Amino acid sequence: MDTSQSQAAPAAMPAVVDGVPERVGDPASSPRGRLSGMAMMFGSGLSNQVGAATGALAFGVIGPAGVVAVRQWVAGAVLLAVGRPKVRAFTWRQWCPLLCLAAVFATMNLSLYTAIDRVGLGLAVTLEFLGPLTVALAASRRAVDLGCAVVAGAAVVALARPQPSTDYVGIGLGLLAAACWASYILLNRTVGARLPGVEGSATAAGISGLLYLPVGIVVLAHHPPTAAALACAATAGILSSAVPFLADLLALRRVDARFFGIFMSVNPVLAALVGMAVLGQSLGWVEWLAITAIVTANGVSVLKRS
């Protein structure tokens, strides 16, 4: 956890951003870096939700597991081509978080996509947001951050309120995705600090793709895909994996994990809007009120850090 906002905390380990050494996790040290990090996080969130909605269009043909398998293959291929990791030069200190990140990445995607299939995009992503929210709470050293995280957390509870028709399996999968996302934030930050460029992300994505090779073969053999379904799944691989993976890695070199966790509260909002536009999933006034609370909490946190 980064605690560079505390006067008593030690200096963060140096990282290289665009070829210039910078203190990792101290957004106040570089206003330009902080703004670029915020832009990357917003772009990452929007790309992620559009990709998830596009992938959901293929559920009826190849199911969530089939979509995730194709998504992982495409993401791995794209990121390996971009990162060109020198895996033979990696040390065990670098391999350890890489392997953990690959496992988390694979589990997070399958649990989230299955939750989307059961409870819808907006609720699934809102439950997943509990992951970065937990990071924000655990790393907070300021009252305003804690207050904003509590408000956002209460809004998430309102969105997931129990009802007679509640799909508890879907909610459980959403919570599993939340735990994975919290781990993803911290592991991705560690990988970014130990490996140059995007070599770490590319390697983790490639390993995750290999893990889904047998799964995908079995699923696609039992559920023959159509060209449209494969196109949707491949698009999800680019928009929901490759783009966010790279954007999040670069963003976490410019902002600390706590700020990342709070700022990513825009994801439930984006998911709700994209779900309406792409999947025709509507929300009631309680849901929109909760989403407004999340946006407000996020906005207050960002303004107080400016």
Side-chain angles (χ1 to χ4, degrees), residues 199-223:
E199 290 188 39
S201 295
T203 304
I207 294 172
S208 180
L210 287 176
L211 292 174
Y212 271 96
L213 190 57
V215 175
I217 292 174
V218 172
V219 171
L220 297 181
H222 285 80
H223 302 280

Side-chain angles (χ1 to χ4, degrees), residues 159-199:
L159 282 170
R161 65 192 187 284
Q163 300 177 49
S165 60
T166 297
D167 187 329
Y168 291 104
V169 173
I171 289 178
L173 289 168
L175 294 175
L176 175 59
C180 289
W181 196 6
S183 301
Y184 164 81
I185 292 172
L186 301 177
L187 286 168
N188 207 12
R189 182 170 173 76
T190 301
V191 168
R194 295 184 184 181
L195 285 164
V198 296
E199 290 188 39

Side-chain angles (χ1 to χ4, degrees), residues 12-278:
M13 294 179 63
V16 177
V17 177
D18 297 332
V20 180
E22 181 181 3
R23 286 199 303 166
V24 174
D26 190 356
S29 66
S30 175
R32 179 182 176 185
R34 180 176 55 192
L35 290 175
S36 65
M38 290 169 60
M40 290 174 186
M41 288 186 288
F42 183 83
S44 169
L46 182 59
S47 177
N48 200 357
Q49 303 317 322
V50 171
T54 303
L57 296 175
F59 284 173
V61 180
I62 58 178
V67 171
V68 173
V70 175
R71 165 182 164 165
Q72 298 298 92
W73 297 340
V74 171
V78 170
L79 289 169
L80 286 173
V82 173
R84 297 182 180 180
K86 303 177 180 63
V87 294
R88 293 184 178 180
F90 291 175
T91 65
W92 174 245
R93 183 172 179 272
Q94 295 168 326
W95 271 115
C96 186
L98 270 178
L99 295 174
C100 292
L101 181 60
V104 164
F105 191 38
T107 305
M108 177 173 65
N109 287 330
L110 183 58
S111 58
L112 175 63
Y113 271 53
T114 307
I116 290 173
D117 188 38
R118 299 181 69 100
V119 300
L121 180 63
L123 179 54
V125 171
T126 301
L127 290 169
E128 188 192 31
F129 170 66
L130 286 172
L133 178 62
T134 300
V135 173
L137 281 168
S140 180
R141 294 294 182 273
R142 301 189 316 158
V144 65
D145 286 336
L146 182 61
C148 290
V150 169
V151 170
V156 170
V157 172
L159 282 170
R161 65 192 187 284
Q163 300 177 49
S165 60
T166 297
D167 187 329
Y168 291 104
V169 173
I171 289 178
L173 289 168
L175 294 175
L176 175 59
C180 289
W181 196 6
S183 301
Y184 164 81
I185 292 172
L186 301 177
L187 286 168
N188 207 12
R189 182 170 173 76
T190 301
V191 168
R194 295 184 184 181
L195 285 164
V198 296
E199 290 188 39
S201 295
T203 304
I207 294 172
S208 180
L210 287 176
L211 292 174
Y212 271 96
L213 190 57
V215 175
I217 292 174
V218 172
V219 171
L220 297 181
H222 285 80
H223 302 280
T226 62
L230 288 177
C232 288
T235 299
I238 295 174
L239 296 182
S240 291
S241 293
V243 173
F245 222 75
L246 293 172
D248 291 350
L249 174 69
L250 296 175
L252 283 165
R253 289 178 174 174
R254 290 164 171 80
V255 302
D256 60 64
R258 173 184 57 197
F259 182 56
F260 183 96
I262 294 178
F263 188 91
M264 292 308 283
S265 64
V266 298
N267 272 277
V269 182
L270 295 173
L273 295 175
V274 171
M276 290 178 61
V278 179

